DNA sequence: TTGTATGCGTTATCAA
DNA sequence: TTGATAACGCATACAA
């Protein structure tokens, strides 16, 4: 493996000049630059990243943390993040943390030890349940060392930047539409108490209140997980579920509701309207295809990487938090 | 940030001793070890990975390459790989290459420049279409530097190791069952000519041949992509498609067939049996739920990481290629 | 515009 | 069992 000394010798210059050519950090005469570049190409030389890192303390690597990459929303996010980061010259270290605090902490520590240039947390689970500061302390700690970005979660603090979807308005809007079309017993199904889930719930409750409808506890259905069959069976187990609409926080949950309706012989959307979330392939695969809120994950990710680039390049200030609008993708499980 | 000198000073020993304690590379008296460890814990010291890498030329990082992480099969693979690699002390650099050769090459180069300890290619796209050696040359080149592992693809060469699913037998078995249950016009739908797709096709053709049935070209349907609606619409466009069974290389394709049947009023499974592949959530979300071949991606990934660990720890030889059995998950789109 | 010398924080070799 | 010191390959401050 050739090193910078070899290149310098072959090009008849000093290592400093080679370094300058590679990094463009100082003036080098066209003639010598060409000569050096020629040798570099000829020898197929690439700088040793460890030696580079030892001096500069960076390896142009971003740490991405997701709870589970098998989740369609997460894998889409990682896809867009990786693509955008790659475009600006960063590689990604991906790590799946699960949902437990100790694992989130441990994985954060490991990434920081690798001297990643920044951390991106994907998913509102990282913002905690809003119960205590303690559950997000690891994020503030991490932000002492590198800029931290959170997708779909809000944590306040220095060097912490959030990009979130406007879930409140998205749900508010769809619930309002359901009400306007005559629905009165609208259920809200959620499998989490995360930041994002709380936003969606707020949109739901606000819409009901603004329409002078009661916010009834029995219509707020909490799920242990977003598994299709689990949701279906849970609903089947209810004695008297008299809902005429279901707003859910994930397409898989909506799919569970759809299967419940099928088994019970309930017509969708006539007797039961269903709204999914994330506008994933699950909504398209369903029969009938599911109306779903699209939170524009691609936009969220590209915006996040833009903001990251601004911070890391030191080219200016950015907002601590920005919000991206959602849109409703109407399909066949609603009729408004 | 504390360095090894600080620890040495605080512990009253030399940096060599601190290094020995950290790496366990040589005898250190219990007394000094304890003292050193105490100081390390107290100061929260962790070695600088760049300096370590500069000496050892490794950062305990594995490069994972996938064409697209949004594919459910891929994201599942990455999930299990990351989990298993993490357990044996490796972090993962993930990169999405797409399906074009130049991008595969470029991403490979980038990972090698980061001195990853090994490369894992996920998906048979990396094994090429079997047309020329040229399309897999980048893998052999990479294998000159680090061990290379391929999931669901076969490339021969030194330092190259494959873990594949037994797709030939899986498809052979399911097609044989279809034939036994009276199906005669069995279509095979594929969106690729990759190693894995060729294996599946071989299983299909072998089963037909062994049953003395003709292998008819018009039943081998090639798709440009595995998009649900695309598949559905393509089939709708056929003048006279007289198939009574469809074996597909992905659940999303099976879903497209199912939607085609629905629109055409064809009963499933009575008049058209459908078999998916990968046993993903798409098969469960469908209505009726789709019979699907499960290629046990978790087993494949865990086995791959075991093999990787054997190679990297230098603890022995491993087979160039190993095969994992598939199983059929019967659901409602078949009746055998 | 170019070259020299030093520091970065480890690991590993060699003495002690 | 321990310590001193030389790599490791680069960036950069300083000199020329």
């Amino acid at each position: 493996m050739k090193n910078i000394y070899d290149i310098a010798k072959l090009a008849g210059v000093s290592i400093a000049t080679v370094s300058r050519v590679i990094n463009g950090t100082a003036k080098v005469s066209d003639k010598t630059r060409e000569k050096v570049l020629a040798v570099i190409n000829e020898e197929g030389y690439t700088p040793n990243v460890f030696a580079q890192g030892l001096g500069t303390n960076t390896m142009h690597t971003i740490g991405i943390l997701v709870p589970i990459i098998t989740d369609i929303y997460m894998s889409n996010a990682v896809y867009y993040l990786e693509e955008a980061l790659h475009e600006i010259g960063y590689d990604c270290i991906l790590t799946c943390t699960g949902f437990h605090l100790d694992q989130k902490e441990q994985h954060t520590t490991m990434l920081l030890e690798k001297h990643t240039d920044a951390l991106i947390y994907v998913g509102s689970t990282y913002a905690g349940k809003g119960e205590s500061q303690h559950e997000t302390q690891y994020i503030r700690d991490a932000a002492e060392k590198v800029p931290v970005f959170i997708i779909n979660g809000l944590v306040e603090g220095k060097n912490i930047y959030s990009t979130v979807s406007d879930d409140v308005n998205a749900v508010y809007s769809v619930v309002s539409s359901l009400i306007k079309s005559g629905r009165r017993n609208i259920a809200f199904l959620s499998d989490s108490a995360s930041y994002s889930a709380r936003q969606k719930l707020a949109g739901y409750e606000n819409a009901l209140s603004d329409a002078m409808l009661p916010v009834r506890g029995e219509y707020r259905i909490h799920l242990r997980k977003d598994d299709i069959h689990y949701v279906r069976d849970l609903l089947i187990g209810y004695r008297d579920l008299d809902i005429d609409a279901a707003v859910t926080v994930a397409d898989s949950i909506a799919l569970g509701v759809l299967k419940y309706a099928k088994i019970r012989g309930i017509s969708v959307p006539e007797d039961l309207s269903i709204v999914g979330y994330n506008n994933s392939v699950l909504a398209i695969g369903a029969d009938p295809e599911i109306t779903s809120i699209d939170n524009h994950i691609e936009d969220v990710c590209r915006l996040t990487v833009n903001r990251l680039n601004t911070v890391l390049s030191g080219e200016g200030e950015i907002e601590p938090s920005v919000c991206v609008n959602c849109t409703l993708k109407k399909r066949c499980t609603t009729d408004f």
Side-chain angles (χ1 to χ4, degrees), chain A residues 195-330:
Chain A
Y195 171 80
S196 170
R198 296 197 303 278
Q199 298 296 105
K200 294 166 184 171
L201 177 61
Y204 164 77
E205 294 185 339
N206 291 350
L208 290 179
S209 301
D210 287 359
M212 307 295 206
L213 290 176
V215 177
R216 292 164 56 183
E218 66 265 34
Y219 285 163
R220 193 171 68 220
I221 300 175
H222 184 73
L223 310 161
R224 276 206 347 272
K225 49 184 177 180
D226 67 352
D227 179 80
I228 297 172
H229 287 162
Y230 162 80
V231 173
R232 177 196 66 188
D233 297 342
L234 187 82
L235 295 185
I236 289 175
Y238 274 75
R239 280 269 166 210
D240 37 282
L241 191 62
D242 62 338
I243 60 174
D244 55 15
V247 175
T248 68
V249 303
D251 285 335
S252 52
I253 296 173
L255 207 33
V257 177
L258 188 56
K259 284 185 183 270
Y260 149 80
K262 176 91 171 193
I263 284 181
R264 275 295 174 80
I266 301 169
S267 322
V268 174
E270 295 79 8
D271 297 329
L272 177 59
S273 291
I274 303 174
V275 179
Y277 223 108
N278 294 345
N279 193 24
S280 69
V281 66
L282 288 181
I284 297 166
D287 180 31
E289 301 192 2
I290 299 172
T291 293
S292 185
I293 293 170
D294 188 336
N295 39 21
H296 297 281
I297 183 64
E298 177 171 2
D299 296 343
V300 169
C301 290
R302 293 215 153 259
L303 182 55
T304 299
V305 172
N306 275 342
R307 286 152 56 72
L308 177 147
N309 198 23
T310 305
V311 172
L312 289 188
S313 65
E315 280 172 2
E317 299 289 301
I318 60 170
E319 301 280 324
S321 122
V322 292
C323 190
V324 173
N325 282 332
C326 300
T327 52
L328 185 70
K329 179 68 185 175
K330 287 190 201 173

Side-chain angles (χ1 to χ4, degrees), chain A residues 28-211:
Chain A
V28 176
S29 77
D30 289 351
K31 205 169 173 180
T32 42
R33 190 204 332 286
E34 277 169 34
K35 176 64 185 163
V36 170
L37 286 176
V39 174
I40 286 177
N41 278 324
E42 225 165 285
E43 303 295 321
Y45 164 76
T46 52
N48 181 303
V49 287
F50 298 135
Q52 281 183 316
L54 194 51
T56 59
N57 215 33
T58 154
M59 233 177 73
H60 295 290
T61 303
I62 305 293
I64 298 182
L65 301 96
V66 300
I68 34 167
I69 187 71
T70 53
D71 182 286
I72 297 179
Y73 176 82
M74 302 292 166
S75 66
N76 273 276
V78 169
Y79 177 80
Y80 293 119
L81 286 174
E82 199 270 345
E83 184 177 59
L85 286 168
H86 205 257
E87 284 171 10
I88 59 172
Y90 289 98
D91 282 340
C92 302
I93 298 193
L94 174 75
T95 182
C96 308
T97 67
F99 293 92
H100 297 301
L101 182 56
D102 59 337
Q103 285 299 303
K104 293 174 185 171
E105 290 171 346
Q106 192 189 314
H107 285 256
T108 298
T109 303
M110 296 195 53
L111 284 177
L112 290 176
E113 282 177 11
K114 294 249 169 176
H115 294 253
T116 50
D117 293 9
L119 255 33
I120 302 179
Y121 291 90
V122 183
S124 62
T125 178
Y126 295 108
K129 297 179 182 171
E131 291 165 358
S132 81
Q133 287 290 87
H134 172 247
E135 57 187 0
T136 52
Q137 188 55 44
Y138 69 100
I139 291 186
R140 281 182 293 277
D141 292 344
E144 304 249 322
K145 307 197 173 184
V146 297
V148 171
F149 297 83
I150 308 177
I151 285 184
N152 239 356
L154 206 55
V155 174
E156 302 201 356
K158 193 160 172 292
N159 219 17
I160 302 175
Y161 307 97
S162 293
T163 313
V164 298
S165 300
D166 190 1
D167 294 320
V168 178
N169 275 321
V171 174
Y172 181 95
S173 166
V174 77
V175 171
S176 297
S177 296
L178 287 167
I179 294 170
K180 215 174 294 174
S181 72
R183 309 289 162 168
R184 284 300 171 270
N185 303 336
I186 305 172
F188 178 81
L189 288 85
S190 166
D191 66 334
S192 119
S194 68
Y195 171 80
S196 170
R198 296 197 303 278
Q199 298 296 105
K200 294 166 184 171
L201 177 61
Y204 164 77
E205 294 185 339
N206 291 350
L208 290 179
S209 301
D210 287 359

